[in-house]
Amino acid sequence: MKAIIFGAPGAGKGTYSTRLKTKLGVEVIAMGDIFRTQVKENSELGKKVQSYVEKGALVPDEIVVEVLKQHLAKVPNGSGVILDGFPRTLEQAKTLETILQLDIIILLDVPDWIIIERLSSRRICKNCSAVYNTRFLKPKIENICDKCHGELYQRPDDNPDVIQNRLKIYQDQTSPLLIYYKEKNVPIITSKTTDIDTPPEPLVEQMFEELKKLKIVN
Ligand code: AP5
Protein backbone atom coordinates (compact mmCIF):
# COMPACT_ATOMS: atom_id res chain seq x y z
CA MET A 1 0.00 0.00 0.00
CA LYS A 2 1.31 3.42 -0.97
CA ALA A 3 -0.81 5.95 0.90
CA ILE A 4 -0.98 9.55 1.97
CA ILE A 5 -2.63 10.42 5.25
CA PHE A 6 -4.08 13.83 4.57
CA GLY A 7 -5.62 16.39 6.86
CA ALA A 8 -5.27 19.71 8.61
CA PRO A 9 -2.70 20.32 11.36
CA GLY A 10 -3.87 18.39 14.39
CA ALA A 11 -6.40 16.31 12.43
CA GLY A 12 -4.71 13.17 13.81
CA LYS A 13 -2.32 12.19 11.02
CA GLY A 14 0.36 11.03 13.47
CA THR A 15 -2.13 9.39 15.83
CA TYR A 16 -3.79 7.30 13.10
CA SER A 17 -0.71 6.54 11.00
CA THR A 18 1.17 5.07 13.98
CA ARG A 19 -1.82 2.82 14.72
CA LEU A 20 -2.14 1.83 11.04
CA LYS A 21 1.59 1.08 11.00
CA THR A 22 1.14 -1.44 13.83
CA LYS A 23 -2.01 -2.92 12.32
CA LEU A 24 -0.79 -3.19 8.72
CA GLY A 25 2.96 -3.56 9.17
CA VAL A 26 3.72 -0.63 6.87
CA GLU A 27 6.38 2.08 7.14
CA VAL A 28 5.42 5.66 8.01
CA ILE A 29 7.36 8.69 6.82
CA ALA A 30 6.30 11.66 8.96
CA MET A 31 7.87 14.88 7.68
CA GLY A 32 7.18 16.92 10.80
CA ASP A 33 8.78 14.25 13.06
CA ILE A 34 11.83 14.12 10.80
CA PHE A 35 12.27 17.89 10.94
CA ARG A 36 11.76 18.06 14.74
CA THR A 37 14.40 15.33 15.25
CA GLN A 38 16.86 17.25 13.07
CA VAL A 39 16.17 20.47 15.00
CA LYS A 40 16.74 18.64 18.29
CA GLU A 41 20.04 17.25 17.00
CA ASN A 42 21.04 20.71 15.72
CA SER A 43 22.11 19.15 12.40
CA GLU A 44 22.69 21.23 9.24
CA LEU A 45 19.18 20.30 8.07
CA GLY A 46 17.79 21.13 11.51
CA LYS A 47 19.33 24.60 11.40
CA LYS A 48 17.84 25.22 7.95
CA VAL A 49 14.29 24.20 8.89
CA GLN A 50 14.00 25.33 12.53
CA SER A 51 12.52 28.78 11.96
CA TYR A 52 9.92 27.46 9.48
CA VAL A 53 8.81 24.63 11.74
CA GLU A 54 8.53 26.77 14.87
CA LYS A 55 6.47 29.43 13.05
CA GLY A 56 4.28 26.82 11.36
CA ALA A 57 5.46 28.00 7.92
CA LEU A 58 6.13 25.55 5.09
CA VAL A 59 9.71 24.41 4.64
CA PRO A 60 10.83 25.16 1.04
CA ASP A 61 9.83 22.47 -1.45
CA GLU A 62 13.37 21.63 -2.59
CA ILE A 63 14.43 20.77 0.99
CA VAL A 64 11.30 18.72 1.71
CA VAL A 65 11.52 16.77 -1.53
CA GLU A 66 15.17 15.89 -0.92
CA VAL A 67 14.36 14.65 2.61
CA LEU A 68 11.45 12.59 1.31
CA LYS A 69 13.61 10.92 -1.33
CA GLN A 70 16.26 10.02 1.27
CA HIS A 71 13.66 8.43 3.54
CA LEU A 72 11.82 6.61 0.75
CA ALA A 73 15.13 5.07 -0.30
CA LYS A 74 15.33 3.43 3.15
CA VAL A 75 11.91 1.73 2.85
CA PRO A 76 12.52 -2.00 2.27
CA ASN A 77 11.47 -3.26 -1.17
CA GLY A 78 7.87 -4.44 -1.19
CA SER A 79 6.94 -2.63 2.03
CA GLY A 80 3.86 -0.47 2.19
CA VAL A 81 4.32 3.16 3.15
CA ILE A 82 2.15 5.92 4.55
CA LEU A 83 3.27 9.51 3.97
CA ASP A 84 2.29 11.81 6.83
CA GLY A 85 2.67 15.51 6.06
CA PHE A 86 3.71 15.12 2.43
CA PRO A 87 2.72 16.54 -0.03
CA ARG A 88 1.60 19.98 1.17
CA THR A 89 1.99 21.97 -2.05
CA LEU A 90 1.17 21.38 -5.69
CA GLU A 91 4.88 21.32 -6.47
CA GLN A 92 5.41 18.52 -3.91
CA ALA A 93 2.45 16.55 -5.30
CA LYS A 94 3.81 16.80 -8.83
CA THR A 95 7.24 15.61 -7.72
CA LEU A 96 5.72 12.72 -5.79
CA GLU A 97 4.05 11.54 -8.98
CA THR A 98 7.44 11.02 -10.56
CA ILE A 99 8.72 8.83 -7.72
CA LEU A 100 5.77 6.84 -6.42
CA GLN A 101 2.44 5.48 -7.63
CA LEU A 102 -0.18 6.28 -5.00
CA ASP A 103 -2.87 3.69 -4.18
CA ILE A 104 -4.96 5.67 -1.76
CA ILE A 105 -5.46 8.89 0.16
CA ILE A 106 -6.75 8.61 3.71
CA LEU A 107 -8.47 11.91 4.38
CA LEU A 108 -9.10 13.03 7.96
CA ASP A 109 -12.02 15.41 8.05
CA VAL A 110 -12.06 17.13 11.43
CA PRO A 111 -13.71 20.46 12.28
CA ASP A 112 -11.45 23.33 13.35
CA TRP A 113 -12.98 23.55 16.83
CA ILE A 114 -11.93 19.97 17.63
CA ILE A 115 -8.47 20.59 16.17
CA ILE A 116 -7.95 23.69 18.31
CA GLU A 117 -9.09 21.87 21.47
CA ARG A 118 -6.80 18.91 20.78
CA LEU A 119 -3.72 20.87 19.73
CA SER A 120 -3.76 23.08 22.78
CA SER A 121 -3.61 19.98 25.00
CA ARG A 122 -1.25 17.84 22.90
CA ARG A 123 1.99 16.51 24.40
CA ILE A 124 4.82 14.71 22.59
CA CYS A 125 7.50 12.36 23.91
CA LYS A 126 10.94 14.02 23.76
CA ASN A 127 12.49 10.65 23.18
CA CYS A 128 10.28 8.61 20.79
CA SER A 129 7.84 11.29 19.49
CA ALA A 130 4.73 9.35 20.65
CA VAL A 131 1.70 11.64 20.77
CA TYR A 132 -0.56 12.14 23.81
CA ASN A 133 -3.21 14.52 24.93
CA THR A 134 -3.63 15.81 28.46
CA ARG A 135 -7.41 15.80 28.04
CA PHE A 136 -8.29 13.10 25.53
CA LEU A 137 -5.44 10.57 25.30
CA LYS A 138 -3.65 10.78 28.61
CA PRO A 139 -0.44 8.89 29.38
CA LYS A 140 -0.71 6.42 32.27
CA ILE A 141 1.70 8.55 34.33
CA GLU A 142 1.41 12.32 34.00
CA ASN A 143 4.04 13.79 31.64
CA ILE A 144 5.75 10.41 31.07
CA CYS A 145 5.61 8.39 27.83
CA ASP A 146 3.86 5.00 28.20
CA LYS A 147 6.16 3.42 25.62
CA CYS A 148 9.70 4.56 26.53
CA HIS A 149 9.26 6.53 29.79
CA GLY A 150 10.58 9.67 28.07
CA GLU A 151 9.48 13.10 29.26
CA LEU A 152 6.57 14.74 27.43
CA TYR A 153 6.71 18.32 26.07
CA GLN A 154 4.48 20.81 24.31
CA ARG A 155 5.48 21.66 20.73
CA PRO A 156 6.43 25.33 20.24
CA ASP A 157 4.07 25.48 17.22
CA ASP A 158 1.11 24.46 19.41
CA ASN A 159 0.42 27.99 20.63
CA PRO A 160 -2.80 29.74 19.52
CA ASP A 161 -1.25 32.18 17.01
CA VAL A 162 0.88 29.55 15.32
CA ILE A 163 -2.06 27.10 15.23
CA GLN A 164 -4.12 29.74 13.35
CA ASN A 165 -1.23 30.28 10.92
CA ARG A 166 -0.91 26.53 10.28
CA LEU A 167 -4.65 26.18 9.68
CA LYS A 168 -4.58 29.06 7.19
CA ILE A 169 -1.62 27.59 5.30
CA TYR A 170 -3.47 24.28 5.14
CA GLN A 171 -6.58 25.97 3.74
CA ASP A 172 -4.67 28.03 1.19
CA GLN A 173 -1.93 25.70 0.01
CA THR A 174 -2.59 22.10 1.01
CA SER A 175 -6.34 21.43 0.92
CA PRO A 176 -6.54 22.33 -2.85
CA LEU A 177 -4.47 19.17 -3.46
CA LEU A 178 -7.62 17.16 -2.88
CA ILE A 179 -9.10 18.58 -6.08
CA TYR A 180 -5.85 17.72 -7.86
CA TYR A 181 -6.03 14.10 -6.67
CA LYS A 182 -9.75 13.79 -7.48
CA GLU A 183 -8.98 14.90 -11.04
CA LYS A 184 -6.26 12.25 -11.19
CA ASN A 185 -8.78 9.63 -9.96
CA VAL A 186 -6.69 8.62 -6.96
CA PRO A 187 -9.09 6.80 -4.57
CA ILE A 188 -9.87 8.68 -1.36
CA ILE A 189 -11.31 7.27 1.84
CA THR A 190 -12.63 9.80 4.31
CA SER A 191 -12.65 9.47 8.07
CA LYS A 192 -14.99 12.07 9.48
CA THR A 193 -14.79 13.15 13.11
CA THR A 194 -17.80 14.98 14.47
CA ASP A 195 -17.44 14.20 18.14
CA ILE A 196 -14.45 15.14 20.29
CA ASP A 197 -14.88 12.08 22.50
CA THR A 198 -14.48 9.44 19.77
CA PRO A 199 -11.22 7.59 20.51
CA PRO A 200 -8.88 6.67 17.63
CA GLU A 201 -9.41 2.88 17.67
CA PRO A 202 -12.90 2.67 16.10
CA LEU A 203 -11.85 5.14 13.41
CA VAL A 204 -8.74 3.08 12.64
CA GLU A 205 -10.96 -0.01 12.39
CA GLN A 206 -13.24 1.82 9.90
CA MET A 207 -10.21 2.86 7.82
CA PHE A 208 -9.02 -0.75 7.79
CA GLU A 209 -12.45 -1.99 6.61
CA GLU A 210 -12.52 0.63 3.83
CA LEU A 211 -9.01 -0.34 2.72
CA LYS A 212 -10.10 -4.00 2.63
CA LYS A 213 -13.20 -3.15 0.57
CA LEU A 214 -10.99 -1.43 -1.99
CA LYS A 215 -8.60 -4.43 -1.90
CA ILE A 216 -5.71 -2.17 -0.91
CA VAL A 217 -5.01 -4.48 2.07
CA ASN A 218 -6.02 -8.09 2.77
P1 AP5 B 1 3.70 18.24 11.21
O1 AP5 B 1 4.33 17.68 12.41
O2 AP5 B 1 3.29 17.32 10.12
O3 AP5 B 1 2.49 19.16 11.71
P2 AP5 B 1 0.96 19.29 11.25
O4 AP5 B 1 0.62 18.96 9.84
O5 AP5 B 1 0.63 20.65 11.71
O6 AP5 B 1 0.28 18.13 11.96
P3 AP5 B 1 0.40 17.81 13.46
O7 AP5 B 1 1.61 16.94 13.72
O8 AP5 B 1 0.31 19.07 14.26
O9 AP5 B 1 -0.93 17.04 13.73
P4 AP5 B 1 -1.45 15.59 13.35
O10 AP5 B 1 -2.43 15.69 12.23
O11 AP5 B 1 -0.32 14.61 13.20
O12 AP5 B 1 -2.28 15.31 14.68
P5 AP5 B 1 -1.93 14.40 15.94
O13 AP5 B 1 -2.02 12.95 15.56
O14 AP5 B 1 -0.70 14.87 16.63
O15 AP5 B 1 4.64 19.38 10.57
C1 AP5 B 1 5.24 20.35 11.38
C2 AP5 B 1 5.90 21.40 10.53
O16 AP5 B 1 6.93 20.81 9.70
C3 AP5 B 1 5.02 22.15 9.54
O17 AP5 B 1 4.29 23.20 10.16
C4 AP5 B 1 6.06 22.67 8.55
O18 AP5 B 1 6.77 23.76 9.09
C5 AP5 B 1 7.01 21.48 8.44
N1 AP5 B 1 6.62 20.54 7.38
C6 AP5 B 1 6.24 19.25 7.56
N2 AP5 B 1 5.95 18.69 6.36
C7 AP5 B 1 6.16 19.64 5.42
C8 AP5 B 1 6.01 19.67 4.00
N3 AP5 B 1 5.58 18.60 3.30
N4 AP5 B 1 6.28 20.83 3.35
C9 AP5 B 1 6.72 21.92 4.01
N5 AP5 B 1 6.87 21.96 5.36
C10 AP5 B 1 6.60 20.83 6.06
O19 AP5 B 1 -3.24 14.70 16.83
C11 AP5 B 1 -3.41 15.98 17.41
C12 AP5 B 1 -3.87 15.81 18.89
O20 AP5 B 1 -5.16 15.23 18.88
C13 AP5 B 1 -2.97 14.88 19.71
O21 AP5 B 1 -2.87 15.38 21.02
C14 AP5 B 1 -3.73 13.55 19.72
O22 AP5 B 1 -3.47 12.81 20.91
C15 AP5 B 1 -5.16 14.06 19.67
N6 AP5 B 1 -6.09 13.13 18.99
C16 AP5 B 1 -6.09 12.81 17.68
N7 AP5 B 1 -7.10 11.96 17.43
C17 AP5 B 1 -7.74 11.74 18.60
C18 AP5 B 1 -8.87 10.97 18.98
N8 AP5 B 1 -9.57 10.24 18.12
N9 AP5 B 1 -9.24 11.01 20.26
C19 AP5 B 1 -8.56 11.75 21.16
N10 AP5 B 1 -7.49 12.51 20.86
C20 AP5 B 1 -7.08 12.49 19.59
Side-chain angles (χ1 to χ4, degrees):
M1 171 175 94
K2 305 282 187 274
I4 294 175
I5 191 153
F6 195 94
K13 300 182 293 296
T15 301
Y16 298 106
S17 58
T18 48
R19 284 162 172 79
L20 286 169
K21 175 181 175 163
T22 310
K23 193 162 175 75
L24 305 175
V26 296
E27 301 288 322
V28 174
I29 299 179
M31 293 308 296
D33 286 351
I34 294 169
F35 290 145
R36 280 185 291 280
T37 302
Q38 295 296 320
V39 169
K40 191 170 83 178
E41 290 173 356
N42 203 23
S43 67
E44 281 311 307
L45 174 62
K47 286 179 202 156
K48 277 191 207 157
V49 302
Q50 181 165 14
S51 65
Y52 297 99
V53 174
E54 287 179 358
K55 280 188 238 143
L58 293 182
V59 172
D61 287 337
E62 59 277 15
I63 299 180
V64 188
V65 164
E66 194 44 46
V67 171
L68 177 83
K69 284 182 180 167
Q70 286 166 8
H71 282 263
L72 272 177
K74 292 185 210 155
V75 173
N77 268 344
S79 264
V81 65
I82 300 177
L83 303 181
D84 163 358
F86 189 97
R88 290 189 203 232
T89 65
L90 189 56
E91 204 49 48
Q92 292 177 18
K94 286 185 175 165
T95 307
L96 183 61
E97 242 172 35
T98 66
I99 44 183
L100 187 103
Q101 170 137 27
L102 271 181
D103 298 311
I104 191 82
I105 293 173
I106 303 168
L107 169 65
L108 307 179
D109 180 0
V110 185
D112 281 2
W113 71 270
I114 294 185
I115 285 178
I116 291 164
E117 286 284 322
R118 284 179 175 166
L119 283 185
S120 47
S121 45
R122 172 166 62 182
R123 296 292 181 276
I124 312 283
C125 176
K126 273 187 182 167
N127 188 36
C128 74
S129 306
V131 180
Y132 297 89
N133 197 286
T134 57
R135 295 179 56 203
F136 309 107
L137 284 172
K138 294 181 185 176
K140 290 185 187 120
I141 306 170
E142 201 182 328
N143 260 335
I144 301 291
C145 177
D146 292 349
K147 295 178 185 158
C148 74
H149 306 292
E151 193 189 336
L152 306 186
Y153 79 105
Q154 184 164 30
R155 275 171 43 176
D157 58 344
D158 278 350
N159 78 61
D161 289 346
V162 181
I163 292 171
Q164 287 304 337
N165 188 32
R166 288 158 62 203
L167 287 171
K168 183 164 185 339
I169 290 174
Y170 176 77
Q171 277 314 326
D172 294 348
Q173 297 195 50
T174 306
S175 66
L177 295 185
L178 283 175
I179 298 167
Y180 175 81
Y181 282 120
K182 277 181 190 153
E183 283 170 356
K184 299 257 169 200
N185 292 320
V186 179
I188 300 178
I189 60 172
T190 304
S191 169
K192 198 171 170 62
T193 298
T194 47
D195 176 357
I196 199 157
D197 293 321
T198 309
E201 283 67 26
L203 296 176
V204 170
E205 214 39 57
Q206 278 171 16
M207 289 172 201
F208 180 61
E209 291 304 321
E210 295 277 337
L211 292 170
K212 273 209 295 199
K213 258 192 240 159
L214 292 171
K215 302 196 185 325
I216 309 261
V217 298
N218 296 315

